[in-house]
Amino acid sequence: MILGIGTDLANIERIQNTLDRFGDRFRNRVFTEVEQRKAERRADVAGTYAKRWAAKEACSKALGTGLRMGIAWKDMAVSNIDTGQPTMAVTGWAADRLTEMTPEGYEAVIHVTLTDDHPWAQAFVVIEARPVFANQS
């Protein structure tokens, strides 16, 4: 069952301008240390940040709140598994909201996809509820 869907489109040049103007203040407010390490290793630093920005916006929309009601940027964190597939982890208020919207007997799974084509970065987030089955021995 689908619990929420969110999408966002971010302008890479706008993110670059924000990085140029605010630097670490912006990075540290919005992105986790893991996200920052990933972005700073990439050839397209601003594009990498823009995709993660878009993913956080999309996740907040899939949670049904947008960036309000106590949700913090770092409550949503994008990382990648070994194959390169992006994943989204939530903590704090975002995790509380996810628990609240997940029906009893289900577990929530967050799916995320990212893409960019300069000057645009885009993310889609789908929150799925999967039934949890008791181990039948």
Side-chain angles (χ1 to χ4, degrees), residues 30-49:
V30 175
F31 303 101
T32 65
E33 289 180 24
V34 170
E35 290 171 318
Q36 290 181 46
R37 281 195 304 272
K38 172 83 172 183
E40 297 299 328
R41 285 193 317 260
R42 303 294 297 269
D44 184 10
V45 172
T48 302
Y49 279 124

Side-chain angles (χ1 to χ4, degrees), residues 8-20 26 31 43-54 114-123:
D8 193 67
L9 185 66
N11 185 289
I12 296 168
E13 293 169 2
R14 179 174 161 248
I15 296 297
Q16 181 64 63
N17 291 339
T18 303
L19 288 165
D20 292 343
F26 171 66
F31 303 101
D44 184 10
V45 172
T48 302
Y49 279 124
K51 285 186 282 190
R52 278 145 182 77
W53 172 279
L114 308 172
T115 191
D116 64 335
D117 186 6
H118 196 88
W120 301 107
Q122 185 174 35

